[in-house]
């Protein structure tokens, strides 16, 4: 679990650097890594707000300003990050809708595979 979380954190750090690069702003790896750390903390503190709507975005813009980067970059990154969250949420709902990520769907697949194996056994 820790390794998976670390890999996600590194991907988020790279995402910050890519967005900054595409928008014409140079950013050090250490700055992007520290910003991602603070963004994670801000999200954790705001579990009472559904989806951290507004709070996460304000935190991102504030962090970019704190690190001396343009406010516009922080706002653009906050919008891109929120868009990514929406894409992953839609993907998750699609998996649930098609029974790919439910216990019932998993049990059905196991049962179907077991029946298939029983039919293919030599007698």
């Amino acid at each position: 679990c820790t390794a998976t979380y670390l890999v996600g954190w590194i991907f988020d750090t790279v995402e910050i650097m890519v967005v900054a690069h595409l928008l014409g702003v140079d950013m050090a790896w250490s700055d992007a890594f520290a910003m991602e750390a603070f963004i994670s903390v801000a999200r954790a503190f705001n579990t009472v707000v559904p989806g951290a709507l507004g709070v996460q975005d304000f935190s991102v813009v504030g962090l970019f300003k704190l690190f001396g980067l343009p406010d516009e970059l922080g706002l653009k990154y906050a919008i891109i990050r929120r868009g990514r969250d929406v894409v992953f949420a839609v993907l998750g709902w699609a998996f649930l809708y098609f029974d790919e990520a439910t216990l019932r769907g998993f049990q059905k697949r196991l049962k179907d595979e077991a029946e298939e194996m029983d039919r293919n056994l030599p007698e």
Side-chain angles (χ1 to χ4, degrees), residues 81-101:
R81 187 176 181 104
R82 185 60 68 183
R84 183 196 62 181
D85 291 345
V86 168
V87 167
F88 282 125
V90 168
L91 186 63
W93 280 106
F95 280 136
L96 286 173
Y97 179 76
F98 293 112
D99 269 343
E100 293 296 322

Side-chain angles (χ1 to χ4, degrees), residues 29-108:
W29 168 264
S30 58
D31 289 346
F33 192 75
M35 269 197 262
E36 182 53 38
F38 286 122
I39 291 170
S40 297
V41 170
R43 287 183 71 182
F45 281 135
N46 298 306
T47 56
V48 295
V49 179
L53 289 175
V55 179
Q56 173 184 319
D57 311 317
F58 178 76
S59 299
V60 168
V61 173
L63 281 169
F64 273 75
K65 187 172 185 144
L66 182 69
F67 278 83
L69 297 167
D71 294 342
E72 297 83 21
L73 177 63
L75 182 61
K76 290 175 184 176
Y77 177 69
I79 292 169
I80 290 169
R81 187 176 181 104
R82 185 60 68 183
R84 183 196 62 181
D85 291 345
V86 168
V87 167
F88 282 125
V90 168
L91 186 63
W93 280 106
F95 280 136
L96 286 173
Y97 179 76
F98 293 112
D99 269 343
E100 293 296 322
T102 62
L103 182 59
R104 183 180 44 208
F106 182 69
Q107 288 173 336
K108 182 180 180 298

